[in-house]
C-alpha cells in the first residue's frame, strides 16, 4: 500500500499519534503465534505514525499458548494480554477484547494467519478517510467442502430474508473498528452472541476491502459441522423471530386444509352415503400433525432457552489475569491524546 502513503515514516509530526489496538483471540495456537508475531512486526515496523497495542486473548488454551504470549509480553512493550479463566468461545473472548482495548481503533484478527496482517495498512488508510468499520471480505472461501459452502450460503440467505438489516456474506471478524463502533459493541452484552450479525446491526460507515483467505497455518479449525450448525441456529434465533412466524403460518395452513377436507368428507357422506374409509390416511395425518407440533414447540423452546440464559445475567467471560502494554506505549498515548 505504499502508493497510499501510509507506510512512509513521517518525521516532523505535529499531530498527536493515534493508538491502534490489534486484538487476537487465541485458542490452542501454540504453533501459529510466533509466526503471526513475526509477520505482524514486519508489517507494523515501517508504520511509525501510530502507537500499536497487540492485545492477545488466551481463551482457555490447553497447550503452550499462554506461555508463548507471556514470553512475547516480556520482550515487547506493545503487548497486552488477557487470560480468561476457561474457554468461553471466540465470541465471548472478543467482548473481553472490546472491553480492554485502549486504541482509537481496534483491528480484530485470527491467530492462525488466515487473516493476512498485510491488509492492515490498507485498513488504516480507509479509517483515516473517515470510515468507522473497515471489514475484510474473502475473495473466495478457503479450502472447504462443497456441502459446507452450500450450507453456509443457505444459512446467509435465510438470515438475510428474515432480518431488516443487511447481513454481509463472506465477511468474518477480520476488520478495523473505530472507537465509536467499539463503544457500541460494548453495549451489546448478551450472553448468547453472534458477533458477525452485531457488526451489521450497529451500523456506522462501512468500507469493504477484499482479501484472499489462506488455509490455517497449523492446528485444526475448532469449528466442526456441529459447532457451525449451532452458530447458524444462534445467528437466526438471536437476530430474528421469523421461525416463530413460520410455525404460526404452517399451523394456519394445516388447520385450513383440515377444515376443507372435513367439508369435503361431510358432503361426500351426505350426498353419496359413502362409509368413512381410510385408516392409513388418518394415521399419516395424525403423525404429520404431531411432527409439526413438536417442531413448533422446539422452535419456541429455542427462544425460551435463550431467555432463560439471559435472565441469569451472568458475566459473559471471567478474567484470570490481565497485563497491559508497557508503560511507555501507554503513557505516550495518554500524553498525546
Ligand atoms: N478461537 C477462540 N476461542 C475458541 C475458538 C477459537 O479464541 O473457542 C480463536 C482461534 O484461536 C482463532 C480464531 O478464534 O484465532 C478463529 O478460530 P478458527 O481458526 O478455529 O475458526 P475458523 O477460522 O475456522 O472460522
Ligand atoms: Mg481459522
Amino acid at each position: 500500500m505504499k502508493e497510499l502513503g501510509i507506510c512512509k515514516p513521517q518525521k516532523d509530526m505535529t499531530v498527536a499519534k493515534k493508538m491502534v489496538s490489534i486484538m487476537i483471540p487465541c485458542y490452542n495456537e501454540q504453533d501459529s503465534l510466533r509466526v503471526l508475531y513475526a509477520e505482524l512486526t514486519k508489517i507494523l515496523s515501517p508504520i511509525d505514525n501510530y502507537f500499536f497495542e497487540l492485545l492477545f486473548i488466551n481463551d482457555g488454551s490447553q497447550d503452550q499458548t499462554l506461555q508463548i504470549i507471556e514470553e512475547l509480553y516480556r520482550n515487547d512493550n506493545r503487548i497486552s494480554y488477557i487470560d480468561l479463566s476457561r474457554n468461553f468461545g471466540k465470541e465471548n473472548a472478543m467482548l473481553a477484547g472490546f472491553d480492554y482495548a485502549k486504541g482509537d481503533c481496534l483491528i480484530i484478527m485470527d491467530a492462525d494467519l488466515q487473516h493476512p496482517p498485510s491488509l492492515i495498512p490498507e485498513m488504516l488508510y480507509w479509517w483515516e478517510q473517515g470510515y468507522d468499520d473497515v471489514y475484510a471480505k474473502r475473495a473466495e472461501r478457503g479450502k472447504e467442502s462443497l456441502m459446507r459452502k452450500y450450507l453456509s450460503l443457505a444459512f446467509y440467505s435465510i438470515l438475510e430474508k428474515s432480518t431488516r438489516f443487511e447481513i454481509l456474506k463472506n465477511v468474518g471478524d477480520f476488520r478495523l473498528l473505530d472507537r465509536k463502533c467499539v463503544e457500541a459493541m460494548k453495549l451489546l452484552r448478551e450472553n448468547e452472541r453472534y458477533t458477525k450479525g452485531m457488526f451489521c446491526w450497529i451500523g456506522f460507515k462501512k468500507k469493504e476491502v477484499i482479501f484472499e483467505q489462506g488455509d490455517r497455518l497449523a492446528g485444526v479449525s475448532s469449528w466442526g459441522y456441529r459447532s457451525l450448525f449451532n452458530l447458524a441456529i444462534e445467528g437466526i434465533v438471536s437476530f430474528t423471530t421469523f421461525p416463530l412466524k413460520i410455525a404460526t403460518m404452517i399451523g394456519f395452513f394445516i388447520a385450513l386444509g383440515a377444515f376443507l377436507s372435513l367439508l369435503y368428507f361431510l358432503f361426500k357422506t351426505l350426498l353419496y352415503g359413502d362409509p368413512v374409509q381410510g385408516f392409513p390416511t388418518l394415521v399419516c395425518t395424525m403423525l404429520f400433525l404431531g411432527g409439526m407440533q413438536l417442531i413448533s414447540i422446539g422452535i419456541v423452546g429455542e427462544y425460551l432457552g435463550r431467555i432463560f440464559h439471559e435472565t441469569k445475567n451472568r458475566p459473559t467471560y471471567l478474567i484470570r489475569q490481565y497485563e497491559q502494554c508497557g508503560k511507555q506505549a501507554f503513557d505516550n498515548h495518554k500524553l498525546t491524546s
Side-chain angles (χ1 to χ4, degrees):
M1 292 307 299
K2 286 231 160 49
E3 68 278 14
L4 300 175
I6 199 98
C7 301
K8 287 186 199 135
Q10 298 181 6
K11 294 257 156 46
D12 54 348
M13 283 206 8
T14 42
V15 284
K17 273 195 193 183
K18 291 180 187 164
M19 192 182 218
V20 175
S21 295
I22 299 179
M23 173 214 313
I24 305 152
C26 309
Y27 177 59
N28 294 346
E29 299 285 3
Q30 61 178 14
D31 299 324
S32 313
L33 275 181
R34 287 207 175 85
V35 188
L36 172 78
Y37 176 72
E39 191 76 9
L40 270 173
T41 310
K42 203 172 80 195
I43 300 289
L44 300 184
S45 56
I47 310 177
D48 64 357
N49 43 348
Y50 296 105
F51 290 114
F52 285 100
E53 176 194 27
L54 305 182
L55 173 60
F56 289 95
I57 300 161
N58 178 37
D59 186 15
S61 303
Q62 281 118 30
D63 61 1
Q64 295 296 305
T65 300
L66 179 64
Q67 284 76 354
I68 296 175
I69 295 175
E70 280 170 345
E71 185 196 311
L72 295 174
Y73 168 78
R74 280 194 296 273
N75 296 319
D76 186 339
N77 67 2
R78 296 171 303 175
I79 293 182
S80 308
Y81 73 88
I82 298 173
D83 183 26
L84 298 181
S85 68
R86 65 169 169 85
N87 177 251
F88 282 90
K90 185 185 177 189
E91 306 287 316
N92 297 12
M94 282 195 289
L95 180 65
F98 296 139
D99 288 342
Y100 283 83
K102 299 181 197 300
D104 299 294
C105 75
L106 170 67
I107 297 173
I108 308 167
M109 58 192 304
D110 283 1
D112 55 9
L113 280 161
Q114 278 187 308
H115 297 163
S118 52
L119 210 66
I120 292 177
E122 188 178 348
M123 287 177 153
L124 288 171
Y125 170 80
W126 289 114
W127 176 50
E128 290 295 350
Q129 299 301 307
Y131 290 97
D132 302 316
D133 177 358
V134 185
Y135 60 85
K137 183 175 174 154
R138 285 185 292 263
E140 57 171 313
R141 304 177 65 89
K143 248 192 231 156
E144 264 183 334
S145 71
L146 265 183
M147 176 147 121
R148 201 162 159 158
K149 204 174 266 181
Y150 283 119
L151 281 179
S152 89
L153 282 180
F155 160 72
Y156 278 119
S157 69
I158 294 176
L159 200 57
E160 191 150 63
K161 288 206 174 73
S162 56
T163 51
R164 266 170 291 154
F165 50 90
E166 196 189 0
I167 302 272
L168 300 160
K169 285 190 208 62
N170 279 356
V171 175
D173 301 317
F174 186 24
R175 58 179 70 223
L176 179 152
L177 297 172
D178 184 74
R179 176 56 45 195
K180 290 195 272 294
C181 300
V182 176
E183 291 303 321
M185 292 300 292
K186 280 161 72 172
L187 296 175
L188 309 184
R189 304 206 70 87
E190 56 245 55
N191 275 297
E192 311 272 333
R193 305 181 66 76
Y194 181 64
T195 317
K196 283 187 199 46
M198 292 177 184
F199 292 133
C200 301
W201 186 89
I202 59 170
F204 292 100
K205 214 171 147 199
K206 296 193 189 300
K207 172 77 194 166
E208 175 177 298
V209 290
I210 304 283
F211 78 107
E212 299 277 340
Q213 172 156 322
D215 295 323
R216 235 176 183 286
L217 180 74
V220 285
S221 165
S222 34
W223 298 98
Y225 275 111
R226 209 172 119 194
S227 46
L228 275 179
F229 180 73
N230 285 340
L231 189 72
I233 298 270
E234 191 62 64
I236 292 174
V237 176
S238 63
F239 269 88
T240 159
T241 48
F242 189 64
L244 288 175
K245 281 196 197 112
I246 297 183
T248 318
M249 266 157 20
I250 292 178
F252 176 76
F253 284 117
I254 289 180
L256 188 73
F259 182 68
L260 292 178
S261 55
L262 183 90
L263 289 181
Y264 170 73
F265 285 120
L266 187 69
F267 282 109
K268 210 169 130 192
T269 314
L270 285 179
L271 294 179
Y272 302 106
D274 258 4
V276 180
Q277 289 172 344
F279 176 69
T281 350
L282 200 68
V283 172
C284 290
T285 318
M286 274 179 58
L287 285 181
F288 176 68
L289 274 184
M292 279 301 164
Q293 277 163 356
L294 285 181
I295 292 176
S296 309
I297 293 175
I299 294 175
V300 176
E302 286 289 333
Y303 287 96
L304 197 65
R306 274 163 183 78
I307 297 171
F308 169 69
H309 283 306
E310 293 302 334
T311 49
K312 283 199 273 190
N313 221 357
R314 289 193 180 164
T316 315
Y317 59 84
L318 290 173
I319 289 183
R320 198 185 70 82
Q321 194 175 4
Y322 167 58
E323 296 292 343
Q324 57 180 327
C325 52
K327 224 174 151 341
Q328 189 197 345
F330 189 44
D331 285 351
N332 276 341
H333 177 59
K334 273 200 304 196
L335 283 176
T336 49
S337 59

